[in-house]
Amino acid sequence: MKIGAPLLRGFLYLNTTFVEMTEDNYKPYYFEGVEEITPGYFILYVIEHNNNEDFYTEIHLHSNQMTSAYLFSVKKSEIFIDILSPNLLDFYEGQYYHESCVERFEYTSIEWKSIAITSPEWKAKYKELRFSLHQKIRLAEKIYEPTLNKVITNFQQIYDKQVALGNTEGLTHEDLNKLSVFKILYRSYTNTWDGINHLINPNHGKMYVLYKDWKDAYNDTEKLMVNLSQLDLSNYEFIKQQMIYRYTKVFNITLPNLKFNYQGVDEKKFIAFFNLLMNKLKET
């Protein structure tokens, strides 16, 4: 359906009367991917919250102002399209209206299409296999938890010992207590379900995964079953490497935020102390 007539469909709020955007009106959907069919013609693949699980949504958008670079920069996030007029729209990115960013574009046409997920005969098989996977993960948690806790405890003890000895690469107690970046690290990733899924699933952490075919969903779940069967969750060295990777990822995200929110953050000192802690952890 081309935009022009007033329409309220699912979570796609179409503003044709310049109603002021509010938190209540803002109903985002997950932006899985995009294709540029021809210059200025895009297909956006989205998942509407609480939508019928047998369908996914395509948004067919014609706009000479929209660019593929912009759309690729905001995919894998929550988006919302607010239609202001038959040729003007606001494109929001963000889970919540008050935290969102918005760009305004001219467009010539836009159409929403609900597409049925193919191979429905595989849906029940997929759901049965997914249930079996969840049961196996729950059993695996009993093996993973003590190994994970050992890594976390060792990291915490290393941190406490280095602080007590004053080996903090020049960071003061005020720096450490005020910013708490290292305490945040060893309090992160204590969830065993999350930890195992991180090991078996490269897509873990994504809000949603869009499947266009139920057989594809089954095949992906089958791969996760194989991945899980190959893990040695009692292997301290293996889990330690996982946690060093995850600690490093969090630290690299946290440090720029510290510099943005606080004045006088000595980046080199924080990096040096983090590297010291990780090297000590590697020795355990």
Side-chain angles (χ1 to χ4, degrees):
M1 177 177 179
K2 294 289 191 297
I3 297 304
L7 174 64
L8 183 62
R9 179 187 176 279
F11 287 114
L12 306 180
Y13 172 73
L14 308 184
N15 183 349
T16 59
T17 57
F18 294 93
V19 175
E20 181 181 358
M21 179 60 65
T22 67
E23 201 75 52
D24 290 338
N25 292 336
Y26 189 76
K27 306 292 185 182
Y29 25 96
Y30 184 69
F31 181 21
E32 168 67 20
V34 60
E35 289 184 84
E36 185 170 15
I37 307 304
T38 58
Y41 172 31
F42 306 94
I43 299 179
L44 287 64
Y45 301 99
V46 304
I47 302 174
E48 299 181 54
H49 300 304
N50 301 319
N51 192 33
N52 187 326
E53 66 177 11
D54 294 319
F55 294 84
Y56 64 94
T57 299
E58 293 181 354
I59 303 176
H60 292 245
L61 172 64
H62 290 82
S63 170
N64 292 326
Q65 286 191 341
M66 187 75 73
T67 66
S68 57
Y70 171 74
L71 290 171
F72 275 101
S73 73
V74 298
K75 73 175 185 175
K76 311 298 182 185
S77 63
E78 299 277 308
I79 66 166
F80 183 72
I81 298 176
D82 184 22
I83 304 301
L84 302 175
S85 75
N87 59 8
L88 196 65
L89 61 82
D90 279 345
F91 195 106
Y92 291 84
E93 178 200 3
Q95 186 175 3
Y96 303 103
Y97 172 61
H98 67 276
E99 297 176 350
S100 64
C101 300
V102 62
E103 297 283 347
R104 182 161 293 179
F105 298 97
E106 293 181 358
Y107 73 98
T108 54
S109 68
I110 188 168
E111 183 179 4
W112 276 264
K113 296 182 179 180
S114 290
I115 311 296
I117 300 175
T118 53
S119 303
E121 66 277 11
W122 282 88
K123 178 181 176 180
K125 298 176 184 178
Y126 157 67
K127 292 207 163 189
E128 181 179 353
L129 187 64
R130 186 178 64 174
F131 178 76
S132 178
L133 173 65
H134 288 178
Q135 288 184 311
K136 289 182 180 296
I137 292 174
R138 289 302 182 197
L139 291 173
E141 284 183 286
K142 297 177 182 179
I143 303 171
Y144 179 67
E145 184 173 18
T147 318
L148 175 65
N149 287 341
K150 185 177 179 180
V151 177
I152 294 171
T153 299
N154 285 342
F155 179 40
Q156 183 173 357
Q157 291 176 346
I158 289 167
Y159 171 81
D160 290 341
K161 181 177 180 179
Q162 299 310 307
V163 171
L165 293 172
N167 296 334
T168 59
E169 301 294 345
L171 293 173
T172 66
H173 283 284
E174 183 181 359
D175 293 331
L176 297 172
N177 292 331
K178 180 179 179 181
L179 302 178
S180 302
V181 58
F182 299 104
K183 292 182 180 179
I184 290 172
L185 288 180
Y186 63 68
R187 291 170 182 167
S188 301
Y189 301 126
T190 59
N191 184 290
T192 53
W193 175 272
D194 174 74
I196 293 174
N197 274 282
H198 172 260
L199 289 169
I200 67 173
N201 186 0
N203 289 318
H204 181 64
K206 289 177 58 175
M207 295 181 67
Y208 304 94
V209 177
L210 185 152
Y211 285 110
K212 301 178 183 179
D213 188 287
W214 288 112
K215 190 173 188 298
D216 290 341
Y218 179 91
N219 289 340
D220 281 357
T221 305
E222 195 171 43
K223 291 176 185 176
L224 299 184
M225 294 281 279
V226 172
N227 292 345
L228 180 61
S229 70
Q230 295 174 344
L231 293 181
D232 182 0
L233 297 174
S234 64
N235 186 321
Y236 177 81
E237 286 297 319
F238 176 60
I239 304 306
K240 181 177 68 176
Q241 290 304 313
Q242 178 201 22
M243 294 305 292
I244 289 174
Y245 169 83
R246 302 187 90 183
Y247 288 147
T248 303
K249 184 177 180 180
V250 171
F251 179 78
N252 289 336
I253 294 172
T254 303
L255 187 58
N257 292 334
L258 291 179
K259 292 173 62 180
F260 180 79
N261 291 315
Y262 297 95
Q263 293 183 347
V265 172
D266 192 322
E267 181 178 10
K268 291 182 179 179
K269 290 181 180 179
F270 275 93
I271 293 173
F273 188 41
F274 175 78
N275 288 337
L276 183 151
L277 296 175
M278 291 300 102
N279 288 332
K280 294 285 185 182
L281 183 58
K282 288 175 184 177
E283 294 172 1
T284 62

